[in-house]
Amino acid sequence: MADEQDSTTEPMDAKAAKRAAKKGMFKRAVEQVSGLTTTTVKEGEGFVQHLYDDYETYRKVQEQGNKAKLAAQFVKKGHIFFLAEWMQTQRAGGAKITFGLCHGVRRGKEQAWFRKKLKGADIIGTDISETATQFENTVQWDFHDDNPDWQAKADFVYSNSWDHAYDPGKAFRAWAMCLKPSGWILIDHTRGHMPKSSNVLDPFGATRDAVIRILGESCGDLGQVVQVLDRTGDEEYPSTVIVFQRA
Ligand SMILES: C[S@@+](CC[C@H](N)C(=O)[O-])C[C@H]1O[C@@H](n2cnc3c(N)ncnc32)[C@H](O)[C@@H]1O
């Protein structure tokens, strides 16, 4: 995300200093990858897509960006706990959540937090970068690709990293194919996912409506968007969550 933020409860000075340091880290990360390539910018209704020359360039940019920001964390524990509890409420009296996927996890925090709440569930994180193997329950994997081991197995797929997609429709379809019947894709949408936030490292930016439209176009035969969870009042991680459910 182009504007990842800090959210600790430290005194304001320390917090502001930390935020400035982080801003510097993100700016440097974008500057570094900008030296690797330039992109062609495509604009559509409610979205901006930066196009790379080829797949190898995309991989290289994402990996370098990942390494430059390896110490950072975007989503907060409270948000992941909220989503875990929301899923448990939906499933109350029904089948337990046993398997989930989190895409673009960097340090693997989100699957660790989901695991804490959804006791006993196997939850795996993916990252395109070779650094993935440094973190627990994380595999190196490009989230656009179909993984035969995951087809129709997941109770849910979560991501806040869809703004790193070179082809969001392809990625969403690959995620939907992993869902069991009635399983969910949970897609965070924040200020940092908007079109104006896209850049050479975060190549896709879209309004919430555009994401919902692309989900319909790419996966409409597999399910539909059933709900948008409003978390805009959350101080730590103001967001909405687009919920796609597999038929
Ligand atoms: C903005 S970070 C978000 C990390 C984490 N979700 C968080 O909340 O802190 C995006 C992550 O997605 C990864 N990524 C980018 N493209 C990817 C792809 N095609 N498949 C899997 N991971 C990808 C990057 O390497 C990076 O670690």
Side-chain angles (χ1 to χ4, degrees), residues 81-97 117-118 184 227 229 245:
F81 278 12
F82 166 84
L83 291 177
E85 279 162 15
W86 180 84
M87 289 192 283
Q88 280 173 324
T89 309
Q90 300 297 303
R91 285 279 178 90
K96 265 187 86 169
I97 291 162
K117 274 278 165 192
L118 303 170
W184 303 283
Q227 215 170 325
L229 307 176
Q245 189 163 35

Side-chain angles (χ1 to χ4, degrees), residues 1-2 4 55 58 62-63 65-67 69-70 72-76 103-110 113 126-129 131 139-145 158-166 201-203 237:
M1 264 57 56
E4 295 179 69
Y55 181 66
Y58 168 72
Q62 293 306 322
E63 186 152 281
N66 166 279
K67 288 176 179 172
K69 296 198 292 181
L70 199 57
Q73 177 59 37
F74 180 61
V75 71
K76 304 294 182 282
H103 285 307
V105 298
R106 194 157 50 206
R107 307 184 60 77
K109 288 284 190 191
E110 44 256 56
W113 291 328
T126 70
D127 204 287
I128 196 168
S129 173
T131 59
V139 295
Q140 186 182 11
W141 187 260
D142 181 337
F143 60 47
H144 295 86
D145 295 341
Y158 164 79
S159 189
N160 60 44
S161 297
W162 51 269
D163 56 331
H164 289 255
Y166 65 80
L201 178 57
D202 309 63
Y237 188 78

Side-chain angles (χ1 to χ4, degrees), residues 42-49 168 195 198 204-207 210-211 213-214:
K42 177 181 153 192
E43 288 188 38
E45 202 188 326
F47 75 88
V48 171
Q49 180 82 62
S198 66
F204 179 60
T207 61
V211 174
R213 189 182 69 241
I214 293 165

